[in-house]
Amino acid sequence: MQIELIEIRDHLSRFPPFDELPEEVLNDIARQVEIAYFKAGTDILAFNQEIHELHYVRSGAVDIFRRNGDLYNRLTEGGIFGHFGLLRHNRVRFPARAIEDTLLYYIPGVLFDQLCEQHETFADFVEAEGQSRLKAAVDNGRASELMKIKVRKLISRLPVTVSLNTSVQQAARVMTEQSVSSLVVVDPQIVWPDPQRVPVAEPQHAVMVGIMTDRDFRTRVLAEGLPLETPVADIMSPNPITVQGDDTVFEAMLCMLRNNIHHLPVVQRRRPIGLINLSDIIKYESQSSLYLVSSIYNKQSVEELQSLLPDVRATFVRMARDEASAHMIGSAMSGVGRSFTQRLLELAEDQLGPPPVPYSFMALGSMARDEQLVVTDQDNALVLDDSFDPALHDDYFLKLATFVSDGLAACGYTYCKGGIMATNPKWRQPLKVWRGYFRDWIKNPKPEALLNSCIFFDLDSVYGESALVEELQELLAEQASRSEAFLGALARNALNRTPPLGFFRTFVMEKDGEHKNVINLKRRGTAPLTDLIRAHALACGSRAQNSFERLDAIAATKLMPPEALERLRYALEFLSLVRIRHQALAIEESQEPDNDVEPENISSAERHALKDAFQVLSNAQKFLRFRYPHLPVTRPL
């Protein structure tokens, strides 16, 4: 078999639905494939034109549209399109356009029909894609796949390694010979004492000290004009972020989202066993939030970032339709929000110059918890180095905060009505002032003050010197668990909002305001749930921010019975999913998404499940009151 056909076959075998086909079938497909090239911005398929081939993305990126012009999906390496048309009288149903220079494989329609007839998994994949998958179940489909598959399953080969003293020219030769876009850099002087005890192949006995990518060659060697004899130790990224082989694909995706990285070393007991990249994850993450994040960092102005708002909403809708879990969607959308914030801070520094003192831009609330959705405002603050002098430095940081806050508003993250933003001088302070804030909240827990400051107990560094925020996280985790008065006040706040259940488990709905006969699922559901989970987690001394991870931390302390924690997890997931579906449907119908659900507009089964979830919340609030018996009785809202 010719080398070109082997390459086509091997590439197809890496992506669904071809990855489950026998080798002889893949060989036959490779023989019949035709290749086409499209420049960025070129239309590939038009609505209702005749189509006789399945289209497979070999490289590049393709946008798929609905007939009204709305973005339906974004495909990268390994994606397929045109199958809806082949299944429906050979007419294109979804137009397609190349958004990057793109190489496509064309698979003949006759062969496509044979594959559908002879291979059930292939047929199931291409036929099920077009069906609506907004179901009540939370553990089905691609969501469970992402959560269960281990990263080691994505590894197709051992990492290609070079030593610290290898020249950049020799490293480039190795990358070319091995057809890889990244190298693991090892120190040959450090070898594991007993490699036989670790089930990893022979070349991996040395310890990884860095990673080098093709981008490093462009930006650190060619752009800087370095000599070819430069050792890779001078241009590598030292101590790279890694994932364990037993971590899930979902955890790897979050790692890439949080850190804006496209190459991720996989280790086993600190030793490299493989490298995964962006396309490996996108294979399982069809909504392509990773691709969206990559686009964010390529934008050069607020206006260009603002143009991505339709893509953000399309990504959100796609995840909802693909039955991703609430945890996954919240984490992915928070990663998108972090990326907007980080890029705006980079643009601000480009405009204003380098910061006069170190700082950390701190996310609060849902972004810090990795629970952000599309209906959200911005909650942030600046933690400045203690060398900060307001007279000398505050003008810079006010301009930086204003640029970022206005930019976030332009990108769909509305201004905080309570003024909890870095533009507020109270929330733009040196670390020593922030320490004072947190100590005062914990030692003197006044109910009203805590009600307004509760959002600061979900905090995370988004950009800058993360150690500044980590110190506050440690202070909160250590001191909160020792203050019964603080925990009691936190519990009191967690009881302020009660679930909307009346006698005989009937819904108690909003009766005034702009909306009537609705339930605000955030105010009456997910918010009080996250409040009480936070109170228990801080009582346990946990540093976790995400509510699901906080439930894990609570479980480890035996504070609550396992079955009660499982019910809380179910309730949070279900209420979040109902919010997500409600918002996704509003976007699909060209309406502005919100949190107000009309029970009459959802199915009977979902109404019953909503009542069950609200009952779990009610019981959890009773437990919280039992744990802090001196709390006053709270009237239902």
Side-chain angles (χ1 to χ4, degrees):
M1 195 174 185
Q2 297 178 359
I3 188 67
E4 294 85 1
L5 298 183
I6 293 174
E7 183 182 359
I8 292 173
R9 179 201 66 193
D10 290 347
H11 198 278
L12 289 169
S13 69
R14 292 168 48 199
F15 298 94
F18 304 96
D19 55 351
E20 296 190 25
L21 295 177
E23 184 172 341
E24 61 268 22
V25 175
L26 290 172
N27 288 337
D28 188 42
I29 297 173
R31 293 187 189 97
Q32 299 187 52
V33 158
E34 293 186 4
I35 301 174
Y37 173 79
F38 293 86
K39 288 187 176 181
T42 304
D43 288 335
I44 301 172
L45 293 175
F47 177 72
N48 210 36
Q49 79 174 66
E50 283 193 23
I51 183 170
H52 298 286
E53 300 91 7
L54 178 67
H55 294 54
Y56 175 98
V57 182
R58 174 61 177 83
S59 63
V62 176
D63 271 354
I64 309 298
F65 300 92
R66 293 187 173 88
R67 68 174 71 184
N68 65 359
D70 290 342
L71 182 67
Y72 173 71
N73 198 7
R74 175 164 288 160
L75 302 174
T76 55
E77 183 184 14
I80 62 171
F81 60 101
H83 45 298
F84 294 145
L86 294 174
L87 293 168
R88 294 168 176 81
H89 311 294
N90 297 98
R91 292 285 179 179
V92 171
R93 310 305 300 170
F94 293 89
R97 180 184 304 141
I99 57 171
E100 294 179 0
D101 291 348
T102 298
L103 195 66
L104 298 179
Y105 290 163
Y106 283 175
I107 299 170
V110 173
L111 178 55
F112 173 83
D113 292 338
Q114 292 174 1
L115 293 171
C116 290
E117 290 173 5
Q118 298 171 11
H119 301 279
E120 186 176 344
T121 56
F122 186 97
D124 287 345
F125 184 92
V126 297
E127 291 170 1
E129 183 72 14
Q131 298 173 4
S132 174
R133 299 189 292 192
L134 281 171
K135 302 176 183 176
V138 297
D139 286 330
N140 291 333
R142 302 176 73 89
S144 59
E145 190 176 25
L146 262 177
M147 298 292 283
K148 293 176 183 177
I149 290 179
K150 303 298 184 184
V151 172
R152 63 171 63 253
K153 295 290 186 181
L154 274 58
I155 299 173
S156 58
R157 61 182 293 180
L158 291 168
V160 179
T161 63
V162 294
S163 65
L164 279 167
N165 55 5
T166 304
S167 70
V168 293
Q169 183 180 39
Q170 181 58 31
R173 288 197 184 114
V174 171
M175 293 175 76
T176 301
E177 291 168 359
Q178 297 293 325
S179 298
V180 294
S181 60
S182 58
L183 296 171
V184 166
V185 183
V186 297
D187 187 344
Q189 303 301 315
I190 307 175
V191 180
W192 289 91
D194 188 5
Q196 298 303 318
R197 297 189 61 185
V198 183
V200 181
E202 285 293 321
Q204 306 312 122
H205 295 334
V207 173
M208 176 176 62
V209 292
I211 185 174
M212 186 174 60
T213 69
D214 51 5
R215 182 177 181 181
D216 293 330
F217 276 110
R218 295 194 305 271
T219 60
R220 300 177 184 177
V221 179
L222 297 178
E224 298 297 327
L226 295 182
L228 297 178
E229 297 77 23
T230 303
V232 296
D234 291 353
I235 62 108
M236 70 178 186
S237 298
N239 304 314
I241 296 166
T242 63
V243 291
Q244 293 289 326
D246 289 329
D247 287 343
T248 65
V249 173
F250 173 60
E251 290 168 320
M253 182 193 82
L254 291 189
C255 186
M256 287 184 165
L257 278 170
R258 274 179 164 270
N259 299 286
N260 186 32
I261 53 178
H262 292 177
H263 298 85
L264 192 58
V266 183
V267 297
Q268 179 75 14
R269 303 181 190 175
R270 295 179 57 204
R271 298 175 58 214
I273 62 172
L275 266 171
I276 59 174
N277 57 40
L278 183 69
S279 62
D280 295 321
I281 303 293
I282 290 178
K283 170 180 175 180
Y284 292 95
E285 207 248 330
S286 65
Q287 60 271 11
S288 301
S289 53
L290 282 169
Y291 189 90
L292 174 58
V293 166
S294 177
S295 299
I296 290 170
Y297 287 100
N298 289 328
K299 300 305 181 185
Q300 302 302 317
S301 67
V302 172
E303 291 73 23
E304 289 185 12
L305 288 171
Q306 186 178 19
S307 71
L308 291 175
L309 181 56
D311 290 1
V312 174
R313 293 194 164 189
T315 296
F316 176 79
V317 170
R318 182 69 178 175
M319 284 189 286
R321 297 179 78 249
D322 275 354
E323 293 182 358
S325 70
H327 188 187
M328 290 169 56
I329 294 175
S331 298
M333 297 308 294
S334 297
V336 170
R338 288 170 186 270
S339 299
F340 273 115
T341 306
Q342 290 164 0
R343 185 60 184 142
L344 285 165
L345 284 159
E346 290 173 350
L347 293 173
E349 288 189 6
D350 288 344
Q351 186 179 108
L352 300 172
V357 299
Y359 74 94
S360 177
F361 197 87
M362 182 166 64
L364 307 165
S366 60
M367 183 185 289
R369 294 195 310 272
D370 281 338
E371 296 169 18
Q372 199 163 51
L373 302 182
V374 290
V375 181
T376 186
D377 58 3
Q378 49 179 292
D379 301 298
N380 51 61
L382 272 171
V383 184
L384 307 165
D385 186 81
D386 282 340
S387 60
F388 171 74
D389 183 336
L392 297 175
H393 307 140
D394 196 47
D395 181 61
Y396 176 94
F397 287 108
L398 174 58
K399 290 178 180 176
L400 180 136
T402 301
F403 181 93
V404 174
S405 184
D406 290 347
L408 286 172
C411 295
Y413 302 86
T414 57
Y415 297 111
C416 175
K417 293 183 177 66
I420 300 178
M421 295 179 292
T423 50
N424 186 333
K426 185 175 182 181
W427 311 128
R428 190 175 65 249
Q429 294 291 340
L431 178 60
K432 58 189 175 185
V433 174
W434 280 105
R435 286 197 206 99
Y437 286 165
F438 277 84
R439 289 190 179 117
D440 185 57
W441 288 330
I442 294 169
K443 291 182 179 179
N444 304 294
K446 301 172 185 176
E448 283 194 19
L450 275 191
L451 190 63
N452 296 324
S453 62
C454 207
I455 195 169
F456 289 95
F457 306 142
D458 303 327
L459 67 161
D460 200 17
S461 176
V462 171
Y463 185 89
E465 299 295 326
S466 59
L468 295 170
V469 174
E470 289 169 1
E471 185 166 334
L472 297 178
Q473 290 174 328
E474 290 174 5
L475 185 154
L476 179 63
E478 290 174 4
Q479 296 191 14
S481 60
R482 302 174 187 169
S483 173
E484 194 71 13
F486 171 75
L487 294 172
L490 210 59
R492 180 186 297 109
N493 286 342
L495 298 174
N496 279 336
R497 293 176 285 197
T498 57
L501 286 181
F503 291 111
F504 308 112
R505 295 183 64 189
T506 56
F507 289 123
V508 177
M509 293 182 284
E510 311 289 344
K511 295 296 182 184
D512 50 21
E514 183 180 346
H515 301 287
K516 293 186 178 181
N517 297 322
V518 299
I519 297 172
N520 186 298
L521 281 183
K522 179 179 179 181
R523 185 168 62 243
R524 304 297 296 275
T526 56
L529 259 178
T530 56
D531 286 347
L532 70 89
I533 291 170
R534 182 195 302 113
H536 287 312
L538 290 177
C540 296
S542 171
R543 281 189 56 181
Q545 303 294 315
N546 178 264
S547 295
F548 293 101
E549 293 174 6
R550 282 171 166 168
L551 287 171
D552 292 337
I554 298 166
T557 65
K558 312 299 182 185
L559 175 68
M560 297 178 69
E563 58 273 15
L565 287 170
E566 281 304 305
R567 285 193 291 269
L568 277 177
R569 190 181 301 274
Y570 161 78
L572 180 59
E573 176 74 16
F574 184 78
L575 290 172
S576 300
L577 281 178
V578 175
R579 281 181 66 200
I580 288 166
R581 294 187 194 115
H582 172 70
Q583 293 176 9
L585 285 171
I587 292 170
E588 287 188 306
E589 295 172 0
S590 301
Q591 298 175 359
E592 196 60 29
D594 58 29
N595 294 302
D596 297 315
V597 173
E598 297 180 49
E600 290 185 359
N601 291 340
I602 61 178
S603 69
S604 175
E606 200 164 61
R607 283 198 299 272
H608 284 295
L610 266 181
K611 291 177 181 179
D612 290 341
F614 287 137
Q615 190 61 54
V616 169
L617 170 57
S618 178
N619 293 339
Q621 289 185 328
K622 290 175 184 175
F623 177 85
L624 194 64
R625 185 177 298 282
F626 170 79
R627 189 156 186 262
Y628 299 95
H630 302 299
L631 296 179
V633 175
T634 305
R635 293 181 178 179
L637 294 179

